[in-house]
Amino acid sequence: MKKKKGFKLKKKSFWRAIRITGIVALLFQMIMSGILMIEFVRFPILPTKYMLLLALVLIIGLVPSLLLLLLRDGRKGLIPGILWAILWAAACFLAIITYIEPARKTVENITGVEASETYHIEGVSVIVRIDNPAKRLKDTDGYTYGIQTAEEYAPMLAAYEHIASSEKISLSLKEYDYYTQVAAALMSGEIQAMLADTSYVDMLAEYAEGFDGNYRILEELSFDAEIPKGAAELNMSITPTPVTGPIEDPDVTPDPSKPTDAVTPTPVGYDGIPTPVIPMTAMPARSSAENITGDYYTVYFSGIDCYGGITAKSRSDVNIIMVVNPKTHKILLVNTPRDAYVLIPDISGNSFDKLTHAGVYGVKASMKTLERVYGIKLDYYIRVNFSSVERIVDYLWGVDVYSAYAFDATHGPYSYGAGMNHMSGKSALAFARERYNVPGGDFQRGRNQMELIKGIINKMQSPAILNSFNDIMEAVSNNFQTNLTTEQLAALCRSQLDSGASWTVETYAISCTGTYGYCFSYKGEKLYVGQIDWDTAREAAQKMRTVMSGQ
């Protein structure tokens, strides 16, 4: 009898424990449901109607738990109720840690990046004689370093200062006019180490007497440095392109419709003074540039020609202005050829340079340069590289892009037909880089780049893209920069999900005439540059203002 009574007590205690466990599981489900809602409020990517739908789903998810766990005579439903509550809470938890939090943190990492007055330097070699005992930079304490001043003076000086400060060693400096003089001083023992752009080392081995076979690279540097004020006075050159003899592969392919025998280094319209050809006038009225879902805004789209991290030293090969009007759902893309011959405000003084070189002095320099060309104000920038393009396109499951011509790619085994083409990440990148196998060369490349952006915009209009949002953000986190804020990107996504509107995308490319001219960032020789056709630039500026004003 006592055994039977004891068994009943144990059974009663067991079900009491199960019921308590059920209440705890129910509370856990309610808490996780609440946290999920809070996370979506913190990262407001969903429009109001979807937030209400999510809240309804979470409430419906609580109903089985309440029915199974809180009925007095519902012992049979306790265990299923506990399992349901735990599984529901776990689903909310997984949604938070695998989707919302990573997406929010990733977007925060790539947004709100204000353009700084710094640039990234890499590919600077510290060179010593082959018989030098130094094994690391620390061992060069007390050395005399040599640098040259004809080109890239500022980055070499920054590298010298970086070594001294980072290694906490004492150094002295000697300056020479040319690399060959620095190499001779190293070989003679006048200096113990020299700094040189890594791309020049092979040239020194070939042309500098006694250098080949008698040197070794102690280390290659990679660091961030501030852009010196008054760069023009420093004779600053950050990205020299080694040229030996005639330029046989110009960066600008002459437009077939333009003459190519021009030799004047000064573009028509500038007359050698740093004033805009298209005057800066008042922009069309808007309430705020920050209200990107209600008022027009402008974005500078910069593409750098490298893989890997977005901070890698490289010129800006893609220079596209995007004007967006959310009221009319119109987007205008305007391409400026990378070799357009321009003034770089606050950098080059009255000296002209290629537009692509402006990016090396910071994204602000590129934006100011284009503002001067078109007489407009640029609000935001987006900066991408090869890796960004590949990953974005792949995470969109490919994009459909229009090609004006049929051609085979130089960079990879890809072929494109005239008309629409479905492209993967790698084939899209090869399409955007092609300038050899298309009529118009670099000019057509710019048009193709705009068609690719258009294809990406069209694909991203689909609500289904929300399913890949976290993957896309994570994929481009190291290869994408913008000064748009997290809130603004979330607002854009929320607005598109809410309205489901279709956007009209127009493209326009200004023309340039191929010629030769001296460039601020490369001293001593004329380079192939593009003299801007100012009639097309004025037309581009007018098109921008038309979209801004909502016409």
Side-chain angles (χ1 to χ4, degrees):
M1 187 74 177
K2 287 182 178 180
K3 288 184 179 181
K4 189 173 182 180
K5 186 177 181 180
F7 175 75
K8 287 183 177 179
L9 288 173
K10 288 181 179 180
K11 187 175 181 181
K12 188 175 182 180
S13 298
F14 171 77
W15 285 110
R16 185 183 297 114
I18 291 294
R19 187 173 292 280
I20 293 172
T21 302
I23 293 172
V24 171
L26 176 61
L27 290 174
F28 184 49
Q29 179 186 356
M30 295 173 69
I31 291 171
M32 292 310 302
S33 297
I35 292 175
L36 181 62
M37 285 298 300
I38 291 172
E39 285 296 314
F40 269 110
V41 171
R42 290 178 62 200
F43 185 45
I45 190 174
L46 294 179
T48 302
K49 62 183 180 183
Y50 287 109
M51 288 290 287
L52 292 174
L53 181 60
L54 175 63
L56 179 62
V57 170
L58 292 175
I59 291 172
I60 291 174
L62 286 170
V63 173
S65 301
L66 292 170
L67 293 176
L68 293 170
L69 295 174
L70 299 184
L71 290 177
R72 289 188 176 183
D73 299 325
R75 287 185 177 181
K76 291 183 180 180
L78 285 176
I79 293 178
I82 291 172
L83 292 176
W84 174 265
I86 291 174
L87 288 174
W88 195 266
C92 293
F93 178 73
L94 288 174
I96 294 169
I97 66 170
T98 64
Y99 182 81
I100 302 174
E101 275 299 299
R104 183 174 61 83
K105 289 179 180 178
T106 301
V107 171
E108 287 176 352
N109 288 337
I110 66 175
T111 58
V113 182
E114 288 300 328
S116 65
E117 297 298 331
T118 64
Y119 57 90
H120 187 75
I121 297 177
E122 61 182 28
V124 175
S125 292
V126 181
I127 304 172
V128 297
R129 281 176 33 159
I130 196 168
D131 57 357
N132 190 295
K135 291 181 171 54
R136 54 180 182 166
L137 290 177
K138 197 81 170 178
D139 297 335
T140 65
D141 188 21
Y143 278 24
T144 298
Y145 274 66
I147 64 174
Q148 60 93 45
T149 60
E151 299 161 359
E152 30 172 38
Y153 173 68
M156 293 303 122
L157 183 61
Y160 167 78
E161 294 174 348
H162 169 75
I163 294 170
S165 61
S166 63
E167 298 294 331
K168 295 180 173 56
I169 56 179
S170 177
L171 304 173
S172 57
L173 181 68
K174 276 197 172 185
E175 298 178 354
Y176 301 85
D177 290 335
Y178 305 106
Y179 272 131
T180 51
Q181 295 174 343
V182 187
L186 180 67
M187 292 298 105
S188 69
E190 185 177 335
I191 58 175
Q192 290 78 52
M194 67 175 286
L195 297 172
D197 189 304
T198 303
S199 62
Y200 275 85
V201 176
D202 289 340
M203 293 176 61
L204 288 172
E206 183 176 354
Y207 298 116
E209 186 176 354
F211 193 76
D212 189 27
N214 294 310
Y215 75 94
R216 64 184 175 88
I217 296 177
L218 181 63
E219 190 167 320
E220 289 190 18
L221 303 178
S222 176
F223 63 97
D224 292 319
E226 291 188 359
I227 295 177
K229 296 297 180 184
E233 287 71 26
L234 282 173
N235 193 28
M236 185 175 186
S237 172
I238 298 177
T239 56
T241 305
V243 178
T244 55
I247 303 176
E248 297 180 354
D249 179 24
D251 287 336
V252 172
T253 303
D255 189 326
S257 64
K258 302 289 182 180
T260 58
D261 56 355
V263 294
T264 173
T266 304
V268 174
Y270 274 124
D271 298 326
I273 57 175
T275 54
V277 172
I278 302 173
M280 175 74 80
T281 57
M283 301 278 280
R286 58 180 172 179
S287 60
S288 170
E290 286 74 35
N291 182 19
I292 61 175
T293 59
D295 283 300
Y296 76 83
Y297 57 96
T298 56
V299 181
Y300 167 54
F301 193 93
S302 172
I304 60 176
D305 58 346
C306 69
Y307 284 96
I310 197 66
T311 59
K313 170 188 171 185
S314 186
R315 296 162 292 184
S316 181
D317 268 5
V318 179
N319 299 278
I320 293 172
I321 293 175
M322 182 164 61
V323 182
V324 184
N325 192 321
K327 293 180 179 178
T328 59
H329 293 98
K330 287 184 179 180
I331 296 175
L332 173 67
L333 301 174
V334 174
N335 178 66
T336 308
R338 65 188 295 276
D339 292 315
Y341 204 33
V342 294
L343 293 169
I344 306 175
D346 303 326
I347 298 292
S348 68
N350 287 357
S351 299
F352 291 88
D353 208 337
K354 296 185 180 188
L355 174 60
T356 184
H357 291 164
V360 180
Y361 301 103
V363 70
K364 277 186 177 179
S366 295
M367 294 173 76
K368 288 179 180 179
T369 301
L370 290 170
E371 285 177 344
R372 185 183 295 278
V373 170
Y374 295 106
I376 64 165
K377 176 71 172 67
L378 292 173
D379 302 315
Y380 304 104
Y381 74 86
I382 294 174
R383 195 163 175 253
V384 299
N385 64 5
F386 291 168
S387 301
S388 319
V389 174
E390 286 190 6
R391 291 174 178 177
I392 289 173
V393 173
D394 282 338
Y395 275 98
L396 291 174
W397 297 97
V399 294
D400 296 320
V401 182
Y402 175 79
S403 176
Y405 304 100
F407 65 92
D408 296 326
T410 301
H411 305 282
Y414 308 108
S415 296
Y416 311 93
M420 299 301 297
N421 296 263
H422 186 76
M423 301 180 189
S424 64
K426 289 187 179 298
S427 64
L429 176 61
F431 176 81
R433 295 180 65 189
E434 188 59 55
R435 65 187 175 100
Y436 297 109
N437 296 337
V438 289
D442 190 59
F443 297 101
Q444 186 57 42
R445 174 169 64 172
R447 297 183 184 100
N448 287 349
Q449 289 164 354
M450 289 191 292
E451 289 296 336
L452 175 58
I453 294 174
K454 184 177 179 179
I456 291 173
I457 292 172
N458 289 336
K459 188 66 175 284
M460 294 187 73
Q461 293 182 40
S462 169
I465 197 59
L466 186 62
N467 296 327
S468 303
F469 182 80
N470 184 36
D471 292 334
I472 294 172
M473 291 297 99
E474 186 175 354
V476 302
S477 59
N478 294 322
N479 319 105
F480 186 98
Q481 278 185 351
T482 181
N483 60 342
L484 286 161
T485 66
T486 302
E487 292 75 17
Q488 287 173 321
L489 280 186
L492 283 175
C493 189
R494 187 171 63 248
S495 176
Q496 183 59 32
L497 283 170
D498 194 29
S499 67
S502 296
W503 290 73
T504 300
V505 182
E506 180 186 357
T507 63
Y508 184 80
I510 71 167
S511 299
C512 290
T513 299
T515 186
Y516 286 86
Y518 291 104
C519 291
F520 171 77
S521 295
Y522 188 86
K523 306 297 188 292
E525 292 187 60
K526 289 183 179 181
L527 300 181
Y528 209 91
V529 298
Q531 187 169 306
I532 294 176
D533 179 338
W534 289 104
D535 287 336
T536 63
R538 291 186 185 91
E539 185 175 350
Q542 183 56 50
K543 284 179 174 289
M544 293 181 202
R545 291 178 178 276
T546 298
V547 173
M548 292 174 190
S549 60
Q551 298 178 24

